[in-house]
Amino acid sequence: MHSFDLIRDMGHEQVVLCNDSNVGLRAIIAIHNTHLGPALGGSRMWTYESEDAALVDALRLSKGMTYKAAVSGLNLGGGKTVIMGDPEKDKSEGLFRALGRFIEGLNGRYITAEDVGTCVDDMEYVFMETSNVVGVAESHGGSGDPSPFTAYGTFRGIEACVERRLPGRKLKDLTVAIQGMGHVGAHLAHRLAEAGATLCVTDINEERCREATDGLKKVTIVKPAEIFSVPCDVFSPCALGAVLNPKTAETLKCSIVAGAANNQLETMEMAEVLRKRNILYAPDYAINAGGLMNVFLELEFYSKERATRMVSRIYNTIHTICDIAEREGLSTARAADLMAERRLETVGRLKRSYLRQAPPRSRSRMPS
Ligand code: NAD
C-alpha cells in the first residue's frame, strides 16, 4: 500500500506511528485536519488483520471526526488513534501511559478519548501522562458517560425531522422503531416514551431489551430481523453501522431514518435510494454528535447545563442540513458533507490573516 498517496488523497495533515516494545504498544495516531482547532477523536483498540487495515481505519475514522466537528459548529479538528492489540488480553498501565506520552509529544495538536475497545479506566492512565484527553471520570473533572447526551441529541434531531417530513404531527401520535437497546438506545427510548411516542424496539440481547423498556408504556418488542419491516414513522438505528443497504433500504416502512449509530449508510448511494423513496435521512454524524459536544466542553468549562443547551442545537443543525438539501437538490448526507466542507473552508480562511498575538481560545458557537 502506498501510504503517502493514501494520506494525500484523504487530505490528512499528519500520521504518527507509535512504538514502545517494552509495553507492547503499536499505535497509529492520525490527524486529519486542524483548521478549526485541535484534532479530537478516541483511541480504538482492535485486533486488526494487518498494519494496512489499521492505517486505513485510522485514516477513515479521523476524517469522519473532522466532518462531525465541523458540521456541529465545534472548534475542533478530526483525529483518531488505533492501537493494534486485543482489548481482552493486551491492556496494561504501561501501554496506556506510553500512549499518553506520545500524545503529550504532539503538544495539543491531538486530544484523545475512549472509543471501541477502550474505557474510562484506560483513559485514567493516559491522563497520568497528558492532559490532552477528555472523557475521563467525573471525579477527575471529566464529563462522565456521554450516552445520555448522544441520546438527547438524537431525540432533538428526530423532532426536527418530524417537523420537516411530517408537519403538524406530534411525537405522541407517532411510532418509532429503535434498533439496539444499549447505552444510547435505552436513553432514547425513555425520552421518546416521555414525549408519548409509541415504541417498537429490538436488541440481539433480549434481556437488555426487556430491562431497558421495563415500566414504559406503549412498547412492543420484536425480533432483530423484523425491525426493518415494522410499519413506523421513524426508524432509529442505534446498534451497528452499515444497516442501510440495498436490501434494508427497500424494506423500510417509515418516513424518517434518524438514529445514533455510526456509519449507517453502507455506501453513499444509499442516501440517494432513501431520497428517491421520500424517506428523510438524518445524517448520522450530525445527529449523533451529542457525545462529542459533551466532551468538547471539558476543554472549556464543563457543566451539564451548558452541554444540554449545546446538544439541543442538533435540532437546528438538522434543519440547516435539510435546507441545504432542498435548496441544492441533494441528499441530506451530501448536504451535511457540504455544510462541513464550507465551514472548514470559511473558518480555515480566517486564520490566514496575521495576528501579532495568539487569538483568545476559540469558543464554540453556543453562548455560555
Ligand atoms: P452499545 O454497545 O451500548 O449498544 C449497542 C446495542 O446494540 C447492544 O445492546 C447490542 O446488543 C445491540 N445490537 C448489536 N447488534 C444488533 C442487531 N443486529 N440488532 C439489534 N441490536 C443489536 O452502544 P451505544 O453506546 O449505545 O452506541 C450505539 C451506536 O451509537 C453505536 O453505533 C455507536 O457507535 C453510536 N454512537 C454512540 C455514542 C455514545 O455516546 N455512546 C456516540 C456516538 C455514536
Side-chain angles (χ1 to χ4, degrees), residues 3 60 73 220 233 260 290 292 318 368:
S3 306
R60 185 180 62 83
T220 314
D233 300 290
L292 176 65
I318 297 297
S368 52

Side-chain angles (χ1 to χ4, degrees), residues 325-346:
E326 281 171 18
R327 202 170 50 234
E328 306 193 26
L330 301 168
S331 69
T332 46
R334 182 65 200 120
D337 285 355
L338 211 57
M339 184 173 159
E341 285 159 8
R342 286 176 181 161
R343 182 159 180 262
L344 283 164
E345 174 62 20
T346 312

Side-chain angles (χ1 to χ4, degrees), residues 13-27:
E13 292 178 10
Q14 188 179 10
V15 177
V16 185
L17 304 183
C18 310
N19 177 66
D20 188 330
S21 307
N22 285 329
V23 296
L25 175 73
R26 289 196 312 153

Side-chain angles (χ1 to χ4, degrees), residues 146-147 150 179-180 182-184 203-204 208 224 238-240 260-262 288:
S147 309
T150 304
Q179 182 194 37
H183 290 94
V184 179
D203 197 294
I204 47 171
R208 186 175 300 162
C238 293
L240 306 167
N262 278 315
N288 74 12

Side-chain angles (χ1 to χ4, degrees), residues 17 20 22 25 28 37 40 65 78 99 101 117 121 158 202 208-209 211 217 219-220 255 264 312 321 327 338 342:
L17 304 183
D20 188 330
N22 285 329
L25 175 73
I28 302 169
L40 193 149
M65 290 306 295
L99 177 66
R101 294 183 74 80
D121 289 346
I158 290 174
T202 193
R208 186 175 300 162
C209 206
E211 273 173 19
K217 296 188 187 113
V219 184
T220 314
S255 305
Q264 291 169 31
S312 176
I321 291 169
R327 202 170 50 234
L338 211 57
R342 286 176 181 161

Side-chain angles (χ1 to χ4, degrees), residues 89-104:
K89 292 194 282 208
D90 300 331
K91 285 185 179 184
S92 67
E93 174 181 355
L95 183 138
F96 285 104
R97 290 185 72 157
L99 177 66
R101 294 183 74 80
F102 281 111
I103 292 169
E104 180 64 12

Side-chain angles (χ1 to χ4, degrees), residues 218-231:
K218 298 204 289 182
V219 184
T220 314
I221 296 177
V222 298
K223 297 253 177 276
E226 291 167 8
I227 198 76
F228 298 106
S229 53
V230 164

